[in-house]
Amino acid sequence: MTQLSVLDLSFVSSGSTPAQALRDSLDLARHVDGLGYARYWLAEHHALPSVASPAPDIMVGQIAAATRRLRVGSGGIMLSNHAPLMVAERFKVLEALFPGRIDLGLGRAPGTDGITAQALRRREAPRGGDDFLDRLQELMLWETDGFPEGHPFNAVAVMPAGVPLPPIFLLGSSDYSANLAGRLGMGFAFAQHFSAFDAHGPMLDYRRLFRPSRWGEGPHAILAVAAICAGTDGEAERLALSTQLATLRRERGEYAPIPTLAEAEAYPYSEAERARIARGRDRLHVGSPETLRATLGALAEATRADELMVVCAIPDQGARRRSYALLAQAWSMASVRAA
């Protein structure tokens, strides 16, 4: 049976604070650590009122220290915002402190708007254009001591010495990172929760193109999905109103904390807005444990996902924790039946 994992954006809810959202992430991680989830990944976003954490490497350390069994990682580090040497150093520190429990997920996008991205990179020497491949190659060279003789970086020691980088996963929402991850022999995670690109092609292409390497002996494909689970389909649909309104506003360029259920229920939707929400429902999976066990199970089978990584944007933290608990229970029951 496909494993379940968690993708956490440290969502800020209406009426709450970013500081509380970070504490909620720690509480949720402790909660799912006891539910059998495999991984807990933190995303990198900047200057978004709805997302509290711009620094997944810091949160990875905090959550790894607060849990016992989970693998914890970045979902991901936006490599265009960081010097590859700094990424190597920070994740080697994490690996040294929590050996065998850390993942390094890497993304191409800046995770923010153009002005904020410019501010993030203001003191770096300009590289021009999409330099993700250059930065990824540099990160790989730091790990393999691969800089040629005479290169100025050849004399730089990456500390802590003797500690390997954690497993690397390339993140994507199209076929680009799927193809690259397969050819390099790295892990791959597809962002079905926001991508307009059908997940099946990239997920299957990744397996077809995978070549064993020092980064991985076999393919490992993660499918990130947005899901909301409740006791009944009707209650799950009700809880989904907050997520749907937040997505509607974001698509219009309105960035704000996740609205409460009361706000979402009181919102005067137009017919055009209702139609727009309906068109995006293929990226939001909603229902009872039985419903999601069937729909997500079929999706995992069709895409050959090794893991489903679930992001849940319910503003009520009790309902959010219950959503993850019900989904884990349903998955456990399905595993027993499959055996």
Side-chain angles (χ1 to χ4, degrees), residues 17-18 28 71 76 109 134 147 159-160 169 182 186 245 265 293:
T17 66
L28 181 62
R71 292 194 66 94
D134 289 342
F147 290 104
M159 298 299 289
F169 291 79
M186 294 177 173
L245 179 56
E265 289 179 319
R293 185 173 66 223

Side-chain angles (χ1 to χ4, degrees), residues 308-331:
L308 291 178
M309 184 166 277
V310 181
V311 56
C312 180
I314 301 174
D316 179 272
Q317 296 307 306
R320 188 182 184 210
R321 288 192 293 270
R322 178 167 168 77
S323 178
Y324 280 110
L326 289 172
L327 188 56
Q329 182 181 13
W331 225 248

